[in-house]
Amino acid sequence: MKTIIAEKPSVAKEIAHIVGADKREEGYMQGNGYYVTWAFGHLVQPAMPETYGMKGFHAENLPVIPDPFVLVPRQVKTENGYKADAGVLAQIKIIGKLFDSSERIIVATDAGREGELIFRYLYEYLGCKKPFDRLWISSLTDSAIREGLANLRDGKEYDNLYHAAKARSEADWLVGINGTQALTIAAGRGTYSVGRVQTPTLGMVCERYWEHKRFESKPFWQVHFGVVDADSGNILKFTSVNRWTDKATATDIYNKVKDTGSAIITKVVIKRKVEKAPLLYDLTTLQKEANSQHGFTAEHTLSIAQKLYEAKFITYPRTSSRYISDDVFATLPKLFKNLENHSEYGEKVKLLPGSEDYSKNSVNAAKVTDHHALLITENAAIGLFKDEKIVYDMILCRMIEAFSADCIKDITSVSAQVDHEVEFGISGSIIRQTGWRALSLKEKNNRQDKDADATDNEVKEQVIPNWQEGQHISFSGSTITEGKTKPKPLHTESTLLAAMENPCKREQIQTCLDLPSAAGFGGTQTASKEIEDDTMRQAIKDCGIGTPATRAAIIETLLKREYMVRQQKKLVPTEKGLALHSVVKNMAIANVEMTGKWEAELAKIERGEASADGFTHSIEGYTREITAELLGCDRLFSHKDSGCQCPKCKQGTMQFFGKVVRCSNKECGMPVFKQVAGKLLTDADITDLLTKGKTRTLNGFTSKQGKSFSAAIAFDEDFNTKFVFAERKTAEKRGNVKRYKK
């Protein structure tokens, strides 16, 4: 007998059908020489510090560095601490018996780093020595499963993948456990959760928030004039190259331009621009565009993509590649042929060039990682819910775009001068070949959202007359307009995912490939711009923080722990998040560049280019550094007594810390954050709130829509703060009149 172990029962069911294991048993299926069983994600995990005899948070126990790590069945939290999940224990026992009674194991967990770790941790915990093979597939269609089973690989081929996964798991444990305990001990009250990836990610959100909030918008003025195109009758608008920050200067120039009434063409440049078909989706790009176009969270997009994968409608979603290999490319003509009868996109498919002329922009086997880019499968996607159809259509339409012809434009740029002094410019484009843009779902949706770090360089589609250098043109009119400089917008999930994927600047890419010691790297880096060079592009991708499969979970963790909130599409740090960031922002735990280097090293381990032991040794040193640094930051949590009794427990006194006022009673620890809706409350305001239950009406709060408002702050029944708005006098008067008449 052979045992096939899948990651989920649903996947096990599909595989069991293929191999003929149709007899259902408790925790597995059997038949035709196979047992087919399943996990429920991670059945086994590294033990918590209590297993090593370290209960509670005590500075003398830190850092906790297990040697070796102990594996235990997945734990659940109870009133008496953590205990093994009963259902998990039962499934582990079943799997152990199946392994013992089999001559060989087939690993069918998800074909990626985390899927490999799910099996290997279980295999190690059970002490199993049976040989195992790997089922490595990129879709769950019947044909893909059959082909994968016919081409099983020796499990040892994936040892490097396991070493990288194990190193990542232990690194997250070391940094998360020790960092959280050290900072919580230093604070003396409450629990402050930190992590290897989550804390630098929070730093990105907080830094963007402060950059946005501290930005001083400044006015500027530009001058324009219009020229009538004799052929079309359209008015073409020239705009001054310069912006003036002084209104009087701008007005003088405007008056001069208006009085002059004509300009001279000084330069005409016509360039042919070829816009290559866009690359196929990887998971992160799909998540970014689903957020910007449809407002989907990264987690929601991943959840939908996983469902579509398990329904056999798309290929493996947790991919970091935007390319396919030549053998996959060879299957596309048949796939597109099947789509010609598609009720919604069949006509678009028919506009594709012949298969010999498909764009090969997304075809490069050397750039395919564990899995190729996202594709739909040959199975017709039926019975989809609204959001599922949106994501499926995005993947389908990107496929059509990716293999379409290039879009070719002629772009004309014209420069002109008024009175040989003030420079103006106008540009226009003419599409010579629409190519992929004629098939683009993005064009259909007329997407309005733009990434915060992107620049909209699209040239307006308009015909520029055949003007010649030295030619004089007359105005049909002139105007002056006022604008204001704008800050970078707050992060959305789309822009945060981009920043997590590309956290380093171009000049830092090479150093990201070499893992340095923990010390000596400071500062939060912003997302890099588009890199054209392929080597640089891969390097910057290796330096991303988190992985495509984990970034959504990191964002959700920060939301769950109330370090930030969603306000429409924006991600806004809470007072709690800002308070944490203010303490750790200059420490190693918050260093984005450092985290990017760890991810680059994990990628090297996965490729067999670096040692997991060397990485672990470096992480242990880093853990000792951040633990000492965080334990030593108790000075940042220095406090003074408010002289006010805690209104909640009536036992402790409220103490002023940097960003929070907290009860001295450890059993209570009630917090009152000093920053509320963008306004920092004064000590006097806090004292009023604690003693009177309410502040006076305060100005300067900022709503979720970015508007200023005034309100008092009061406690609700659970001693959380709430806004109290003053009633309008006119409304009171109207109420009195109504009551009087009645």
Side-chain angles (χ1 to χ4, degrees):
M1 295 288 285
K2 294 181 180 179
T3 294
I4 302 176
I5 179 167
E7 191 165 320
K8 296 179 180 179
S10 59
V11 178
K13 182 180 178 181
E14 298 295 337
I15 296 173
H17 169 71
I18 297 298
V19 301
D22 52 9
K23 185 179 180 182
R24 183 66 185 254
E25 303 288 355
E26 184 66 32
Y28 67 100
M29 291 172 281
Q30 70 169 334
N32 200 30
Y34 290 96
Y35 298 123
V36 182
T37 188
W38 52 84
F40 309 108
H42 279 284
L43 295 179
V44 174
Q45 62 186 22
M48 298 298 284
E50 289 81 358
T51 302
Y52 306 101
M54 300 177 186
K55 294 184 178 181
F57 290 12
H58 303 287
E60 59 270 20
N61 290 338
L62 300 181
V64 183
I65 301 181
D67 185 20
F69 275 84
V70 174
L71 296 175
V72 296
R74 191 168 71 213
Q75 308 284 291
V76 293
K77 193 171 184 179
T78 69
E79 293 181 356
N80 299 319
Y82 286 93
K83 291 186 178 181
D85 184 294
V88 166
L89 285 173
Q91 188 65 11
I92 289 174
K93 186 176 180 180
I94 290 169
I95 294 171
K97 288 181 178 180
L98 297 178
F99 283 2
D100 289 342
S101 59
S102 300
E103 67 269 14
R104 202 164 189 89
I105 300 166
I106 298 174
V107 184
T109 50
D110 281 357
R113 189 188 286 179
E114 209 60 27
E116 190 68 21
L117 190 64
I118 286 171
F119 167 71
R120 296 287 190 123
Y121 268 170
L122 179 62
Y123 186 80
E124 182 180 335
Y125 175 77
L126 291 171
C128 186
K129 303 297 181 183
K130 296 292 177 72
F132 59 91
D133 297 313
R134 196 58 164 98
L135 175 68
W136 195 267
I137 54 179
S138 288
S139 80
L140 289 175
T141 60
D142 291 358
S143 59
I145 294 173
R146 287 193 176 95
E147 184 179 352
L149 289 169
N151 296 279
L152 294 173
R153 303 179 188 180
D154 191 311
K156 291 183 179 179
E157 292 182 24
Y158 298 91
D159 283 352
N160 289 332
L161 182 65
Y162 163 58
H163 294 323
K166 183 171 182 284
R168 193 277 310 156
S169 173
E170 293 178 357
D172 286 348
W173 192 100
L174 288 169
V175 175
I177 293 294
N178 288 288
T180 295
Q181 291 201 13
L183 189 59
T184 299
I185 291 167
R189 296 287 186 277
T191 300
Y192 290 85
S193 171
V194 296
R196 184 180 65 89
V197 180
Q198 76 172 56
T199 303
T201 302
L202 174 64
M204 291 177 172
V205 176
C206 291
E207 290 298 320
R208 176 62 66 86
Y209 171 83
W210 285 122
E211 182 182 358
H212 180 89
K213 191 169 186 62
R214 292 166 179 162
F215 183 85
E216 293 184 12
S217 182
K218 297 180 179 179
F220 63 86
W221 289 264
Q222 283 183 288
V223 178
H224 317 270
F225 65 79
V227 178
V228 177
D229 180 3
D231 294 330
S232 66
N234 295 330
I235 296 178
L236 301 174
K237 181 180 177 182
F238 281 75
T239 299
S240 60
V241 174
N242 291 330
R243 294 175 170 182
W244 294 276
T245 56
D246 178 64
K247 185 176 182 180
T249 301
T251 302
D252 287 344
I253 291 171
Y254 163 69
N255 289 328
K256 182 184 294 186
V257 168
K258 185 173 65 171
D259 293 341
T260 302
S262 66
I264 185 171
I265 302 296
T266 57
K267 189 175 183 181
V268 178
V269 177
I270 302 175
K271 289 185 178 180
R272 174 65 54 93
K273 180 180 180 181
V274 178
E275 294 183 347
K276 294 286 188 182
L279 295 175
L280 293 164
Y281 282 130
D282 62 2
L283 175 60
T284 300
T285 311
L286 177 68
Q287 289 172 315
K288 288 190 294 185
E289 294 201 9
N291 178 254
S292 61
Q293 293 178 33
H294 304 288
F296 290 179
T297 67
E299 182 183 50
H300 186 49
T301 301
L302 175 56
S303 174
I304 291 172
Q306 186 68 26
K307 288 178 182 178
L308 293 172
Y309 168 66
E310 292 177 15
K312 308 181 184 181
F313 296 148
I314 66 170
T315 57
Y316 186 69
R318 298 169 189 259
T319 177
S320 60
S321 176
R322 301 187 68 182
Y323 296 88
I324 60 173
S325 55
D326 291 289
D327 60 327
V328 176
F329 178 71
T331 67
L332 293 179
K334 182 180 178 181
L335 192 59
F336 283 130
K337 186 68 176 176
N338 293 339
L339 288 170
E340 287 184 356
N341 295 322
H342 192 285
S343 60
E344 192 171 353
Y345 300 110
E347 293 304 313
K348 285 184 180 254
V349 172
K350 291 176 184 177
L351 294 175
L352 280 168
S355 58
E356 66 279 2
D357 294 321
Y358 285 173
S359 169
K360 288 195 173 183
N361 199 30
S362 294
V363 183
N364 191 329
K367 297 180 181 179
V368 176
T369 52
D370 291 339
H371 295 278
H372 58 66
L374 272 162
L375 301 172
I376 66 166
T377 68
E378 66 268 24
N379 293 349
I382 56 176
L384 299 182
F385 293 107
K386 179 183 177 182
D387 289 358
E388 293 170 346
K389 185 178 186 306
I390 287 173
V391 173
Y392 179 83
D393 285 355
M394 288 180 67
I395 298 168
L396 167 59
C397 289
R398 176 51 60 93
M399 278 181 58
I400 299 173
E401 295 169 18
F403 299 103
S404 301
D406 297 336
C407 175
I408 301 175
K409 299 178 179 179
D410 282 344
I411 298 178
T412 302
S413 299
V414 178
S415 299
Q417 283 187 352
V418 175
D419 198 26
H420 301 282
E421 180 179 348
V422 186
E423 293 189 8
F424 289 80
I426 187 173
S427 295
S429 67
I430 301 175
I431 295 180
R432 300 301 183 186
Q433 176 178 293
T434 308
W436 65 270
R437 285 195 175 275
L439 312 174
S440 175
L441 180 68
K442 192 182 297 184
E443 298 294 315
K444 174 184 173 183
N445 287 339
N446 190 24
R447 179 164 68 97
Q448 299 298 315
D449 299 276
K450 300 290 181 184
D451 286 353
D453 293 318
T455 302
D456 185 11
N457 291 319
E458 283 295 310
V459 176
K460 184 178 180 181
E461 190 175 330
Q462 60 183 349
V463 178
I464 303 297
N466 188 26
W467 287 319
Q468 303 297 317
E469 293 182 9
Q471 179 178 345
H472 287 267
I473 52 177
S474 299
F475 305 164
S476 61
S478 56
T479 58
I480 183 172
T481 59
E482 179 181 355
K484 288 188 176 181
T485 57
K486 297 180 180 179
K488 285 184 178 180
L490 297 177
H491 269 307
T492 63
E493 290 200 38
S494 178
T495 61
L496 182 58
L497 285 167
M500 294 172 75
E501 186 176 35
N502 301 333
C504 300
K505 293 180 179 177
R506 185 186 182 103
E507 62 271 16
Q508 298 165 328
I509 303 307
Q510 188 58 50
T511 59
C512 277
L513 298 178
D514 300 314
L515 185 68
S517 62
F521 299 91
T524 301
Q525 306 301 337
T526 58
S528 69
K529 303 299 182 186
E530 184 69 17
I531 304 292
E532 295 299 330
D533 180 77
D534 288 334
T535 302
M536 295 289 279
R537 189 195 304 274
Q538 184 57 49
I540 202 170
K541 201 159 192 171
D542 283 346
C543 288
I545 66 173
T547 65
T550 62
R551 288 173 188 139
I554 293 163
I555 292 172
E556 291 301 320
T557 295
L558 292 172
L559 291 162
K560 182 179 178 181
R561 290 174 176 165
E562 298 181 340
Y563 287 144
M564 65 184 187
V565 294
R566 289 189 183 96
Q567 292 183 2
Q568 298 179 334
K569 284 187 179 181
K570 306 299 183 184
L571 295 174
V572 182
T574 62
E575 287 75 19
K576 180 180 179 182
L578 291 168
L580 171 61
H581 179 62
S582 70
V583 173
V584 304
K585 63 182 178 181
N586 295 318
M587 299 182 183
I589 187 66
N591 192 320
V592 176
E593 181 187 342
M594 175 65 64
T595 306
K597 289 175 171 60
W598 296 138
E599 297 293 352
E601 189 72 0
L602 288 170
K604 285 185 177 182
I605 295 169
E606 191 170 321
R607 296 192 297 266
E609 299 169 2
S611 163
D613 290 340
F615 173 85
T616 300
H617 180 73
S618 296
I619 282 288
E620 288 175 355
Y622 173 74
T623 300
R624 292 185 177 92
E625 177 187 349
I626 64 164
T627 302
E629 201 170 33
L630 291 169
L631 283 173
C633 75
D634 56 344
R635 65 188 183 279
L636 298 174
F637 291 99
S638 59
H639 62 275
K640 61 180 181 179
D641 288 333
S642 68
C644 302
Q645 184 185 54
C646 173
K648 184 176 181 181
C649 71
K650 308 294 186 183
Q651 297 178 14
T653 57
M654 301 300 291
Q655 298 176 328
F656 282 97
F657 291 83
K659 297 285 186 179
V660 67
V661 182
R662 194 180 295 277
C663 176
S664 63
N665 178 11
K666 291 184 178 181
E667 299 299 321
C668 175
M670 185 190 82
V672 178
F673 288 99
K674 297 177 73 174
Q675 183 160 325
V676 180
K679 178 180 176 61
L680 191 65
L681 303 182
T682 67
D683 288 359
D685 295 331
I686 295 290
T687 300
D688 284 346
L689 178 62
L690 296 173
T691 57
K692 303 175 183 177
K694 183 179 177 181
T695 69
R696 59 189 172 86
T697 298
L698 305 173
N699 301 320
F701 295 110
T702 304
S703 71
K704 293 180 179 180
Q705 290 73 35
K707 297 181 179 179
S708 296
F709 67 93
S710 301
I713 299 290
F715 287 124
D716 63 16
E717 60 273 11
D718 296 319
F719 290 94
N720 297 313
T721 54
K722 66 177 182 179
F723 291 115
V724 178
F725 298 95
E727 295 182 9
R728 295 180 180 177
K729 293 181 179 180
T730 54
E732 291 175 357
K733 290 179 179 179
R734 288 172 185 164
N736 289 335
V737 169
K738 288 180 180 179
R739 286 194 294 272
Y740 177 77
K741 287 184 177 180
K742 183 177 179 180

